[in-house]
Amino acid sequence: MKTEILTAIEENKERFYEISSYIGANPELGHEEFKACKILSEELMEHGFTVSVGTANLPTAFEAIYDSGISGPTIGIMSEYDALPELGHACGHNLIGTMGIAAGIGLSKVISKTGGKVIVYGTPAEETKGGKVTMADEGIFNHLDVAMMVHPLSQTEKSGTSLAMDAIQFEFFGKAAHAAASPHEGINALDAVLHTFNSINALRQHITPDARIHGIISEGGKAANIVPDYAVAQFYVRAGSREYVNELVEKVKKCAEGAALQTGAKVISSFYEFSYDNMITNDTLSDTFTNALVELGITPEEIQERSEGAGSLDMGNVSQVVPSIHPYIQICNEPYACHTHEFREAALSKQGQEAMIIGAKAMALTGYEILTNPELLEKIKSEFTRVKNK
């Protein structure tokens, strides 16, 4: 049956190349990915999946189910396809989206023999207001036995961790005045922002090494001779666990409240993007995927050990409710960073497409192992329960 899976993906790889190229040439921002959603979901329908678009009331999300009708595990595979402003697919989501459907299609060819079902999820807007956050909150993933996706990178790497994150905004309201003629009549909202930054800079000395607080001034006034009556600062607060992020956010709020008190301004805080939870890699599931890569000809020496989280992923929210992995597949020979022009070109290259097929095959083989090995699934679930109960 493994041969059937690999043959199905191999026989359709030219079509998968076309799809990833089409998405790459037509980049769409989060929650605007109508072209990508259409081509991916329609390809799944062509292969017998039952597809519904608009999952969790997200217009560019979809759920595609291939059900054997026989009792068995449910495998969830994630597809991302949003692009970045100006840079296009500089994070390789054209490959991720296509990799997800390719894996699902390959696995579907044997599921009538193994039992169970495979579900491919179209998950929009990972870069901003992550679709997986909404879908997880709506309980979309609760019935899955495992969930997985593969991300392109400059090296092949085991699934690791990511940082939990809150995106918090502070709006300061002061009082305008002529900065030269009557500054004493004004309340400077920009000063409140600057005091907030200075307080947060002092706070950094007293946070754990995994934590990150970084921000910008998105509104700082209109003219140098007017005391700014409105100013806005936006921050990302990150750490290795959701609990610590929650604690840090309260401290950051105190920094802003203190700045408002110092200047006489008023402050309103809000979250301007969705909160991401930290990624919990299921090691048993990760080992199964790594074994699949080796089976496909990737040597163990080429597979880097898991990295500690530096960024944040909405896959983290999925990993809080179901055993999950988020490994990486090498698409270029140079150490290009994600979110760069160079990485975008790598995601459009033939090498990138070939890596996409390897990632799809490895996910499909991983799904097959879970469908046919009850002891493995029990080990995966036991690990998940043990880690969550810590």
Side-chain angles (χ1 to χ4, degrees):
M1 283 190 281
K2 287 184 178 181
T3 301
E4 292 179 59
I5 292 171
L6 300 179
T7 299
I9 295 174
E10 192 68 23
E11 288 179 345
N12 288 280
K13 72 177 182 181
E14 294 299 329
R15 177 57 179 160
F16 298 141
Y17 291 169
E18 290 174 8
I19 292 171
S20 67
S21 296
Y22 172 81
I23 296 173
N26 293 275
E28 301 164 296
L29 299 180
H31 296 307
E32 299 174 11
E33 317 98 319
F34 293 100
K35 292 178 180 178
C37 178
K38 184 175 187 292
I39 194 170
L40 293 169
S41 59
E42 288 184 353
E43 187 67 21
L44 288 162
M45 281 190 278
E46 287 288 324
H47 287 269
F49 282 73
T50 301
V51 179
S52 57
V53 177
T55 307
N57 293 316
L58 301 174
T60 55
F62 66 80
E63 182 179 51
I65 303 172
Y66 200 104
D67 191 345
S68 68
I70 305 169
S71 177
T74 301
I75 311 297
I77 301 173
M78 308 294 152
S79 288
E80 298 172 2
Y81 34 82
D82 61 317
L84 293 157
E86 299 183 7
L87 287 173
H89 280 287
C91 205
H93 289 193
N94 59 310
L95 299 178
I96 297 175
T98 312
M99 203 181 324
I101 70 162
I105 289 168
L107 192 55
S108 73
K109 304 307 178 184
V110 300
I111 207 164
S112 62
K113 302 173 185 176
T114 64
K117 68 178 72 170
V118 57
I119 305 179
V120 180
Y121 294 96
T123 61
E126 188 275 335
E127 298 290 353
T128 51
K129 295 184 178 181
K132 297 184 199 66
V133 176
T134 301
M135 295 166 82
D137 287 346
E138 292 291 322
I140 300 299
F141 308 122
N142 288 1
H143 65 294
L144 296 177
D145 288 287
V146 299
M148 54 185 152
M149 62 171 287
V150 177
H151 198 293
L153 200 65
S154 60
Q155 62 183 16
T156 298
E157 191 175 290
K158 295 178 182 179
S159 181
T161 62
S162 71
L163 300 178
M165 181 195 77
D166 278 349
I168 190 166
Q169 172 175 283
F170 299 111
E171 295 179 276
F172 290 93
F173 300 86
K175 181 182 178 183
H178 194 292
S182 54
H184 55 284
E185 296 178 359
I187 297 175
N188 195 317
L190 178 58
D191 278 348
V193 165
L194 297 177
H195 282 309
T196 300
F197 270 88
N198 287 333
S199 294
I200 290 172
N201 286 340
L203 174 63
R204 285 196 182 95
Q205 183 182 355
H206 306 288
I207 63 178
T208 57
D210 62 296
R212 302 287 187 271
I213 308 172
H214 44 99
I216 62 167
I217 300 171
S218 57
E219 177 67 59
K222 300 301 182 185
N225 64 345
I226 302 172
V227 174
D229 64 345
Y230 180 70
V232 182
Q234 294 180 331
F235 295 91
Y236 284 139
V237 181
R238 309 181 198 248
S241 71
R242 165 51 49 193
E243 292 76 16
Y244 192 51
V245 167
N246 293 343
E247 180 182 330
L248 278 182
V249 164
E250 291 307 309
K251 292 182 178 181
V252 169
K253 284 182 179 179
K254 295 296 183 185
C255 292
E257 291 165 5
L261 185 63
Q262 286 177 283
T263 58
K266 295 180 180 179
V267 62
I268 295 176
S269 64
S270 61
F271 294 107
Y272 64 97
E273 291 178 3
F274 287 175
S275 297
Y276 288 5
D277 289 338
N278 53 294
M279 177 75 197
I280 303 172
T281 283
N282 186 278
D283 289 331
T284 307
L285 181 57
S286 178
D287 290 344
T288 306
F289 178 85
T290 299
N291 291 339
L293 285 179
V294 173
E295 188 174 346
L296 291 167
I298 307 296
T299 65
E301 293 74 24
E302 294 176 279
I303 304 171
Q304 304 300 312
E305 290 300 320
R306 59 193 290 177
S307 63
E308 296 303 319
S312 302
L313 313 162
D314 64 353
M315 190 67 183
N317 295 63
V318 182
S319 75
Q320 300 288 328
V321 296
V322 60
S324 302
I325 56 170
H326 183 283
Y328 298 85
I329 194 79
Q330 181 178 2
I331 67 166
C332 52
N333 297 325
E334 300 296 327
Y336 299 139
C338 297
H339 295 204
T340 63
H341 294 285
E342 293 83 2
F343 198 82
R344 178 192 62 203
E345 296 308 307
L348 297 171
S349 70
K350 186 64 178 294
Q351 183 179 354
Q353 291 180 329
E354 291 171 348
M356 172 186 75
I357 296 300
I358 294 173
K361 289 177 177 178
M363 278 195 287
L365 291 178
T366 301
Y368 171 79
E369 292 295 336
I370 293 159
L371 290 171
T372 58
N373 188 337
E375 291 78 15
L376 173 62
L377 180 56
E378 180 57 36
K379 187 178 178 182
I380 289 169
K381 289 185 172 183
S382 295
E383 178 189 331
F384 178 75
T385 301
R386 183 178 66 255
V387 172
K388 285 293 290 181
N389 287 338
K390 280 185 179 180

